[in-house]
Each structure stands twice: as C-alpha cells, then as structure tokens.
Amino acid sequence: MINCTFVFGTRPEAIKLAPLIIKLREAKVVNVEVCVTGQHREMLTQVLDVFEITPDVDLKLMSHNQSLPDFLGKSISALHNYLKDSNADYVIVQGDTSTVLSASIAAFYNKRKVLHVEAGLRTTNIYSPFPEEMNRRLTSQLTYHHFVPTGISKQNLLKEGYAEETIMITGNTAIDSLLFVKNKLNEGVLHPASDVYDIVRESQAQYNGYILITGHRRENFGEGFLNICEAIELSARKHPDYLYIYPVHLNPNVHSIVSEKLGGISNIRLMKPQSYVDFIYLMQHAHVILTDSGGVQEEAPSLQKPILVMRESTERPEGITAGCSKLVGVNVQQIVSEIGRLLSDADYYGSFAVAKNPYGDGNASGRILNFIEQLT
Ligand code: UD1
Ligand code: UDP
C-alpha cells in the first residue's frame, strides 16, 4: 500500500482536511499518517476534538507572537527531519499557510510528491492576502497534483502554465465539513455549548438578532484593524437593537487592539475563538456576517447568510459574482453603511441568498479519495 501523510498546522487546514482524513482512513486503501506542526495550539486542538482526530506526530512548533520567517524556518527544518525518516510517498497539504509552504519545501527536499488541496486560488496581488498569496503560488510550484475547488481556480493554474492533467476540480472540502456539522446540529446529534446557546437566545429575546464578526488578516494589522474596530463601534452604537458577537482570534496583534477598542460596549460581545461546532451554530443564527476570513466566505452561502468581506481583494471571487458576498474593504463609512443597508432593506438582504454554494457541494473529499485510489 502507498503511504499518504497529511501535514497541517492551523484551524482552517484542520477543518478542511478532516473529512478527507476520515474518508481515507475508512477506505483503507492507503496507509494514512497525520503530522501536525502545531502552528496553532488551542485553535487546532478545538478542531481535532470535534472530528476526533489524534495526530500521529505533533511537532508543537507554535510560539507566542511568532514571526513569519522564524516559524517558516523552524517548520521546514522540523518537517524535513520528520519526512527524512518517514515512508511517506505523498504529502497532502491544504491551503496557503506557513505550514503548507514549509511542508511542500520539506517534501521537495525529501523527493516526496505533494498533493495540494484547495490549489489555484489567486488575487494576483502578492501582498494580499499576505503572505498567503505567495505561499500558495510557491506551493503550486512544488506540487505533483493540484485539487482545485472551482473552474476559476483551474483557469488560474492553466494561465500560469500548469499542465491540465495535473489539475482536478473537486469543490472545496470546507463544504463537506460544514454540511457534516450542520446536519448533526440540525438532527440534535451535536449541540452548542451552553454559553453559545444562551447568547443566541438573548439576541432573539432582547435584540432583533446579531451580526457575527471575525477578523485576523495580517494585511489589516495596524490601520486596517483600527478602521475595522471603529466601524464596528459606530455600527453597534447606531443599531443598539442588534448584538455584535465577535469571537476574537488569538493572534496578539488582533486580540490586543480588539479588546482595547471594543471591550465594554454593551451590545458588543467579545468571545474566545469558538469550537467549530459552536461557530457553525453562531453562523446559522446570525443575521449578517462581517469577516476577512477565507473559510467563512466559503461557508456562509450554504447557510444563506449575507457576508460582508473586510478586504480590498479576495482570492475567492466566486461568491462576489454569485451575489452572496460583498467586498467592503477596511473603509469605516463603507462598512457602517453596508451593515445599515442590510439591517434596513429587506429586498437587499434577500438578494444575498443563493440556491447553490459556488464553492462546493459537500462531495469534494470523495472526489479526492477517488483520485488517490487510482495512485495505488
Ligand atoms: C495563520 C495563517 C493564516 C490563516 C490563519 C487562520 C500564516 C502565515 N498565517 O495566521 O493564513 O488564515 O492562521 O486562523 O500561516 N495563537 C495562539 N493560539 C492559537 C493560534 C494562534 O496563541 O491556537 C497566537 C500565537 O501567539 C501565534 C499567533 O497567534 O504566534 C500567530 O499565529 P500564526 O499561525 O503565525 O498566524 P495567524 O494570524 O494565526
Ligand atoms: N471558525 C471557528 N471558530 C471561530 C471562528 C472561525 O471554528 O471562532 C472556523 C470557520 O467556520 C472556518 C475557519 O474557522 O471554517 C476559518 O478559519 P480562519 O478564519 O481562522 O482562517 P482562514 O479561513 O481565513 O484561513
């Protein structure tokens, strides 16, 4: 049997690889090993717990407020040492993080083949998202086979000269995970934590609902985050009949400014990062979602929630074209006015709902499994 080793390190990679790990293990057609770099700690553990995945190897690399070069360097080195002694034929990575780039370089040094899940996304601006656009481009260069979520991502790779036979359109595995958890929540098999349940009930009993917020992009650090906080504060003061619920990312560059600027405002609730199950529950019941996250842009259309994207550009243009998301940048007035319009104009609000999620149908990991079976 061939040996496939998953390498990942952050919350979104874990969420998007979990359904494939589970499927490959169930199929028993290849040997599966799971190695985590531990680029994230608490936020990674939250996801592994939900999907009941225990890594075979945990490199435990996260340090407080880690810099890009420090983490990349130590991750390449640790993964190189790990792969050198491993029998991995294929290294499976997902997305655009430092873990993805370091795993691809370490696989190259050890002459192992990289399978890249969620390949081909591009903004064409190397500084946005930063450093993810470049991480993803460099990973493409090191990849043996590209699993792209959509036709647009396939076109991006073809334009860069990658051979068509190395690219497969699969849909995004994010939707596989989302539907798995959403169905279990709806069936009552999974339940939200009591504090999350309570805040949703409070928003229904004492407010007209809530705006759910996430934000963590490096290109927004500094002025961008000051603007984001100012916009949230202005909007919350303008609409005291809505709650603003913000699970704050643990990156200290985000956490410190958000706590300082938004703590203590009565209709703004700052929370710890939520478990994946709780976050899906919060998305399901939100009125509007305000985010700079990649994964949240992909998930919101399956829940028919309007999504305002606090970025100047996105490597996920499919939602914008389909009309289920809108780029609002980090401009204070634009963010405030778009939230206001969604809260006051029912027709505008309704125009965001789409019948079909442009990012996937929930069967992406099955398609990737079919491909991997043919490698054996
Ligand atoms: C990383 C990814 C980004 C991804 C995001 C998902 C890179 C360059 N960035 O950004 O692409 O969108 O994860 O959330 O790969 N921290 C903790 N506990 C945790 C996680 C983070 O304390 O569980 C703190 C640590 O101080 C850590 C810092 O956050 O040093 C930054 O983590 P890092 O993974 O470098 O960057 P993110 O901003 O999380
Ligand atoms: N998410 C979560 N808990 C939270 C916020 C987000 O589980 O408190 C999930 C969300 O559903 C999505 C993923 O985390 O699947 C997105 O991760 P993040 O925004 O950190 O990274 P990105 O997708 O921007 O790389």
Side-chain angles (χ1 to χ4, degrees):
M1 260 203 251
I2 61 166
N3 301 301
C4 291
T5 295
F6 287 84
V7 179
F8 56 95
T10 68
R11 169 170 73 188
E13 297 162 73
I15 290 169
K16 292 172 175 181
L17 285 177
L20 184 58
I21 294 170
I22 292 169
K23 273 216 153 58
L24 266 184
R25 283 206 161 133
E26 280 171 2
K28 295 190 169 65
V29 288
V30 298
N31 293 318
V32 175
E33 187 156 290
V34 172
C35 168
V36 296
T37 59
Q39 178 177 338
H40 282 175
R41 191 69 280 155
E42 303 88 332
M43 287 161 57
L44 180 65
T45 307
Q46 280 182 320
V47 182
L48 295 172
D49 289 349
V50 168
F51 291 98
E52 296 176 349
I53 292 172
T54 308
D56 300 291
V57 178
D58 185 345
L59 299 172
K60 297 195 169 104
L61 296 179
M62 193 193 92
S63 57
H64 182 70
N65 203 7
Q66 58 209 3
S67 77
L68 294 173
D70 281 352
F71 180 81
L72 189 74
K74 70 181 178 185
S75 186
I76 293 172
S77 181
L79 285 167
H80 174 66
N81 289 335
Y82 158 66
L83 286 175
K84 177 163 62 69
D85 298 328
S86 112
N87 56 6
D89 300 298
Y90 295 90
V91 174
I92 304 178
V93 295
Q94 192 286 337
D96 56 12
T97 67
S98 296
T99 289
V100 176
L101 178 58
S102 56
S104 304
I105 293 172
F108 169 70
Y109 286 157
N110 284 285
K111 300 198 171 71
R112 314 299 166 93
K113 292 178 173 136
V114 173
L115 303 178
H116 187 198
V117 178
E118 199 191 69
L121 279 63
R122 299 288 189 267
T123 59
T124 73
N125 175 353
I126 59 168
Y127 295 111
S128 176
F130 177 82
E132 291 84 1
E133 172 82 2
M134 186 52 78
N135 285 350
R136 211 187 288 265
R137 288 194 203 188
L138 296 172
T139 299
S140 297
Q141 286 283 319
L142 298 160
T143 289
Y144 172 76
H145 203 87
H146 316 265
F147 300 113
V148 297
T150 68
I152 289 179
S153 31
K154 176 173 177 177
Q155 285 307 317
N156 290 338
L157 290 182
L158 290 175
K159 271 187 244 156
E160 290 173 18
Y162 293 97
E164 182 152 20
E165 59 273 19
T166 66
I167 307 169
M168 178 183 180
I169 301 180
T170 60
N172 200 306
T173 54
I175 314 306
D176 303 22
S177 291
L178 172 75
L179 297 183
F180 174 80
V181 169
K182 181 185 144 191
N183 293 340
K184 285 203 175 341
L185 276 168
N186 292 348
E187 290 158 9
V189 179
L190 287 172
H191 304 278
S194 57
D195 60 331
V196 169
Y197 179 84
D198 288 348
I199 204 169
V200 170
R201 295 292 88 78
E202 182 193 349
S203 78
Q204 292 163 342
Q206 295 175 34
Y207 296 86
N208 290 335
Y210 61 91
I211 288 87
L212 179 65
I213 304 158
T214 77
H216 71 280
R217 299 242 78 86
R218 268 167 213 267
E219 65 273 16
N220 287 342
F221 287 0
E223 198 188 333
F225 260 96
L226 285 171
N227 287 353
I228 287 172
C229 290
E230 190 183 337
I232 294 168
E233 180 182 353
L234 278 175
S235 182
R237 293 200 191 281
K238 210 170 161 188
H239 304 285
D241 45 342
Y242 282 88
L243 260 185
Y244 290 66
I245 299 180
Y246 189 164
V248 185
H249 194 286
L250 293 179
N251 191 322
N253 300 289
V254 175
H255 197 268
S256 57
I257 188 162
V258 170
S259 309
E260 184 196 321
K261 299 286 175 190
L262 298 179
I265 300 170
S266 68
N267 62 331
I268 299 180
R269 301 295 161 81
L270 304 181
M271 302 175 86
K272 291 201 167 74
Q274 296 298 299
S275 81
Y276 183 54
V277 173
D278 289 334
F279 191 73
I280 301 290
Y281 186 81
L282 282 169
M283 279 201 288
Q284 273 188 308
H285 293 86
H287 194 57
V288 171
I289 300 174
L290 183 64
T291 192
D292 64 12
S293 160
V296 176
Q297 288 178 65
E298 291 153 354
E299 293 161 343
S302 283
L303 304 169
Q304 274 81 43
K305 298 297 173 183
I307 178 157
L308 300 176
V309 182
M310 299 184 290
R311 294 169 58 169
E312 303 300 340
S313 60
T314 178
E315 67 283 30
R316 295 169 169 87
E318 294 85 350
I320 314 282
T321 308
C324 47
S325 57
K326 183 160 185 180
L327 278 184
V328 293
V330 288
N331 178 289
V332 177
Q333 287 318 320
Q334 198 179 349
I335 296 172
V336 174
S337 91
E338 282 294 335
I339 296 174
R341 193 170 169 203
L342 281 167
L343 297 185
S344 62
D345 182 341
D347 290 339
Y348 183 59
Y349 185 94
S351 71
F352 278 71
V354 287
K356 189 167 162 273
N357 186 325
Y359 298 105
D361 61 1
N363 297 313
S365 46
R367 295 186 186 100
I368 298 172
L369 168 68
N370 291 342
F371 176 89
I372 291 175
E373 277 176 336
Q374 288 163 21
L375 295 171
T376 60

